[in-house]
Amino acid sequence: MAKTNSHTDAVLIGLGWTNSIMGMELTEEGLDVLALERGPDRDTVPDFAYPKMADELTYGVRYQLMQRPAKSTLTVRHNVGDTALPYRSLGSFLPGNGVGGAGAHWNGHTWRPQPQELRLKSYVEENFGSDIIPEGMTIQDFGVSYDELEPYFDFFEKVAGIAGKAGNLNGELQAGGNSFEGWRSDEYPLPPMARTLNDTMFHDMAAEQGLHPFPLPAANASQAYTNPYGMQLAPCNYCGFCERYGCLNYSKASPQTCVLGALKRRENFNYRTNCEVIKVNLASDGKTATGVTYIDENGEEVIQPADLIIMGAYALHNVHLLLLSGIGQPYDPVSGKGVVGKNYAYQMSGGAVLHFRDKEFNPFIGAGANGEVVNDFGVEQIDFGREGFIGGSYLNAAMTNGQPIRNMPLPAGSPNWGAGWKQAVQENYGHAMTIGSHGSNMAYRDCYLDLDPNYTDDHGRPLMRMTFDWKDNDVRMTQFMKQKIETLSQALRPDDYRLSFKDFDSHYDVRPYQTTHNVGGAIMGTDPSSSVLNRYLQSWDVHNVFVMGASAFPQNLQYNPTGLVGGLTYWAAKAIREQYLPNPGPLVQA
């Protein structure tokens, strides 16, 4: 028999970026809030403290901060005719584990979407006609506009202490910033990070080519900073231990450095770790959640009654829990009916490695989001009709780390092992820079998430199944970016360079790391027949369930998702506080 806890006002499922923010918002409203985190507790001290965290083998290679597939995984296949197989070894994407989630181990690239990305389908149809949308592509509008979200982007950037340079202040273009961004009501809270040699070379060359370079928006503090919650960030020391690591210097924005210290002080907030929510419990009519069932740290089943449920787990886990809980109609790619699991999308990336015998880049001086960017080939800058694809990408040169295991780029033809490999490392370490492409990925009728009929987890529940492969539209987009990067690479006149981009023979491969930007499956919109959530991230079917995170994206942006995720969380929190809580029950209206 499962034991039953005493009632609480709100349950937060997961304690990463989104539910740390929701915890602040709901406790401020006076609610008693309980967060349930499936992983262990983590904080800067003692978990990220020096020298423990500066351990490349443990964290960069063995993924100590990530979820273990033996405990939490899914199955993967390329198309509906395949039998999906389990994702048994971490590779393509790296879900975080424990308090802070992926917000503890990210690099810190923090973007707002371009305004037209939030109304992509309408933008394409208005400017290029509906005929340009390939058969089977299922892109949609988000249902909320850039203008509506701008105040929430601004506040999230202040909470995270983002370093950057505005390019568009209230409609007036600013020298040195991103001239293609949507309008901003305020400058970034911190100035850009200091440039390294690769940044300067890329910036100068891009400007000579007639492009518009600007500093990468960084969640790495360029100066000492105190955020609106009173949390203090220290200046980044460019140690190079960002991606896959917790920040040992209180410099990288994360739930730990920006929110949780303030949230934990509130008497009406509590959290429990090593507690895995296995189901959202529904009333007999199926239209109201009564709480959740979770497995506690002792392996016992516990029922937690609550009036409000906020799903803030990793995007893939949000979708899995909706499917397991029977919230919303599961998506069927054959009929096109149903919504839960629809429009799963990923990210298109590629790049070049350039070697210079006469340049010393000092890669030990690095930060997760240190770099220069051009956005001249973004979604709003490309003629989709002429180029034959829908999408866009930013191009950047960044020096993130000089870790000797993970950052050892060698020229083409170098030996892979032995004395020749060692000699190549000695001659080339510190003489390489990269130019990367980070691009959008569209949604398709046959790229989706559902429950696997063959595999179960250790609780006996079906694993989630991912059906996904690269499509011609997205490959055309990334091949377009390949041409742009090759031109930029040649202009820098390296001694050697190598390009790495997906081509038309490529299939999605789970083995190499690509990005942890999995989106979709619980998408937002304005029509319950084509979305899981309304424009305030509220379930159409179960009124007291709200679902945060990138699972709400109808397709993927050209940018890293965290900035939009943060903005949407504050947007949803305002709706909950001002519209839902005074009158629980109805759907929040526009």
Side-chain angles (χ1 to χ4, degrees):
M1 292 286 293
K3 67 177 182 180
T4 301
N5 287 339
S6 58
H7 173 274
T8 191
D9 294 326
V11 164
L12 311 180
I13 301 173
L15 192 54
W17 267 122
T18 59
N19 272 343
S20 296
I21 292 169
M22 272 293 175
M24 293 294 288
E25 294 286 316
L26 298 179
T27 54
E28 190 171 286
E29 199 61 31
L31 273 63
D32 290 324
V33 177
L34 172 66
L36 298 172
E37 167 56 50
R38 71 190 302 171
D41 205 352
R42 300 194 194 278
D43 207 347
T44 303
V45 177
D47 302 285
F48 304 158
Y50 184 83
K52 176 181 178 180
M53 190 50 58
D55 181 341
E56 185 182 2
L57 185 61
T58 297
Y59 296 97
V61 177
R62 294 177 177 166
Y63 303 136
Q64 188 64 33
L65 297 183
M66 317 307 175
Q67 292 176 7
R68 297 298 176 194
K71 291 291 185 181
S72 175
T73 193
L74 74 169
T75 64
V76 183
R77 62 181 181 173
H78 287 143
N79 58 65
V80 295
D82 294 341
T83 299
L85 297 175
Y87 181 52
R88 297 184 184 274
S89 180
L90 291 175
S92 180
F93 49 89
L94 305 172
N97 186 41
V99 170
H105 72 72
W106 70 318
N107 252 340
H109 298 205
T110 310
W111 295 87
R112 301 179 179 193
Q114 287 189 307
Q116 303 300 0
E117 288 187 279
L118 296 176
R119 53 185 307 273
L120 183 63
K121 184 178 182 184
S122 295
Y123 171 72
V124 171
E125 291 177 340
E126 290 165 3
N127 289 274
F128 307 103
S130 59
D131 291 346
I132 195 177
I133 301 176
E135 183 179 359
M137 182 184 285
T138 54
I139 57 175
Q140 295 183 191
D141 295 352
F142 277 71
V144 60
S145 72
Y146 180 92
D147 288 355
E148 289 174 305
L149 290 179
E150 199 285 330
Y152 309 99
F153 292 143
D154 181 70
F155 189 70
F156 178 71
E157 289 164 358
K158 287 180 167 63
V159 168
I162 303 303
K165 178 69 183 76
N168 182 342
L169 278 177
N170 295 302
E172 294 187 10
L173 297 184
Q174 306 293 307
N178 178 8
S179 57
F180 303 111
E181 69 177 351
W183 68 276
R184 305 173 57 86
S185 57
D186 202 358
E187 184 55 270
Y188 282 98
L190 290 174
M193 302 189 76
R195 283 187 190 166
T196 48
L197 175 59
N198 63 301
D199 298 350
T200 300
M201 290 171 57
F202 182 80
H203 176 278
D204 294 347
M205 177 273 302
E208 290 174 2
Q209 296 284 318
L211 304 177
H212 303 82
F214 59 93
L216 179 64
N220 310 139
S222 59
Q223 298 176 359
Y225 178 72
T226 301
N227 78 3
Y229 296 144
M231 299 293 288
Q232 297 177 335
L233 279 74
C236 178
N237 66 359
Y238 296 83
C239 72
F241 287 90
C242 285
E243 185 181 25
R244 306 188 187 185
Y245 307 88
C247 184
L248 53 83
N249 200 53
Y250 293 91
S251 302
K252 181 176 70 175
S254 68
Q256 282 85 352
T257 55
C258 297
V259 186
L260 288 171
L263 179 58
K264 291 176 184 179
R265 295 189 184 102
R266 296 192 169 176
E267 293 183 357
N268 52 338
F269 174 76
N270 190 19
Y271 72 104
R272 298 175 190 153
T273 56
N274 298 303
C275 292
E276 181 178 4
V277 176
I278 60 172
K279 186 179 181 182
V280 175
N281 303 321
L282 303 180
S284 57
D285 63 2
K287 297 179 180 180
T288 305
T290 60
V292 300
T293 298
Y294 69 92
I295 307 298
D296 70 11
E297 60 184 354
N298 299 314
E300 297 182 0
E301 189 171 300
V302 181
I303 296 172
Q304 177 60 63
D307 296 327
L308 182 64
I309 311 298
I310 309 292
M311 290 189 185
Y314 186 62
L316 295 174
H317 300 319
N318 282 342
V319 180
H320 192 207
L321 191 56
L322 287 169
L323 289 167
L324 292 170
S325 303
I327 298 175
Q329 182 181 355
Y331 174 67
D332 176 13
V334 177
S335 67
K337 298 184 182 298
V339 288
V340 182
K342 175 183 175 181
N343 281 32
Y344 169 75
Y346 197 34
Q347 201 92 62
M348 295 299 293
S349 59
V353 180
L354 292 69
H355 293 269
F356 301 83
R357 296 189 189 95
D358 62 342
K359 305 290 185 185
E360 177 51 69
F361 292 101
N362 293 328
F364 56 87
I365 303 170
N370 175 52
E372 283 283 313
V373 183
V374 295
N375 208 173
D376 296 71
F377 311 111
V379 163
E380 294 190 51
Q381 283 64 63
I382 294 177
D383 184 331
F384 297 154
R386 182 182 65 200
E387 303 300 343
F389 63 81
I390 297 170
S393 172
Y394 70 84
L395 310 181
N396 74 298
M399 185 62 68
T400 61
N401 73 82
Q403 298 162 31
I405 301 176
R406 297 178 52 235
N407 189 352
M408 200 66 71
L410 299 176
S414 299
N416 292 325
W417 63 283
W421 176 82
K422 293 179 181 178
Q423 182 66 30
V425 169
Q426 182 177 351
E427 293 174 354
N428 291 282
Y429 182 78
H431 294 283
M433 65 172 280
T434 61
I435 302 176
S437 166
H438 190 281
S440 56
N441 182 227
M442 298 299 107
Y444 298 90
R445 181 169 178 150
D446 59 352
C447 292
Y448 67 103
L449 306 168
D450 68 350
L451 295 178
D452 192 282
N454 301 313
Y455 292 92
T456 58
D457 65 12
D458 53 2
H459 304 302
R461 307 175 304 168
L463 293 182
M464 189 166 67
R465 178 172 60 181
M466 174 192 294
T467 304
F468 178 76
D469 206 359
W470 307 120
K471 302 293 187 179
D472 286 352
N473 173 87
D474 308 275
V475 175
R476 278 194 291 271
M477 185 276 292
T478 202
Q479 288 290 315
F480 174 89
M481 300 304 164
K482 177 182 178 181
Q483 296 172 8
K484 303 303 180 184
I485 285 186
E486 184 157 33
T487 298
L488 296 174
S489 298
Q490 291 172 348
L492 284 167
R493 298 184 178 180
D495 296 298
D496 175 84
Y497 71 91
R498 285 182 292 127
L499 296 164
S500 177
F501 285 85
K502 299 171 184 69
D503 59 33
F504 291 98
D505 294 325
S506 299
H507 290 284
Y508 173 56
D509 188 342
V510 299
R511 294 170 296 177
Y513 180 71
Q514 291 158 77
T515 174
T516 305
H517 304 159
N518 312 80
V519 309
I523 64 177
M524 61 189 296
T526 57
D527 183 348
S529 69
S530 60
S531 58
V532 179
L533 313 173
N534 69 9
R535 66 197 301 262
Y536 299 104
L537 306 186
Q538 180 186 26
S539 166
W540 289 110
D541 297 273
V542 181
H543 67 84
N544 58 337
V545 171
F546 290 75
V547 184
M548 304 298 111
S551 51
F553 293 13
Q555 56 275 329
N556 210 351
L557 310 173
Q558 62 197 317
Y559 302 118
N560 310 61
T562 306
L564 178 54
V565 166
L568 283 172
T569 303
Y570 280 112
W571 160 261
K574 180 179 174 65
I576 292 171
R577 294 178 65 176
E578 296 185 0
Q579 296 187 59
Y580 183 77
L581 291 177
N583 185 27
L587 292 170
V588 177
Q589 300 298 316

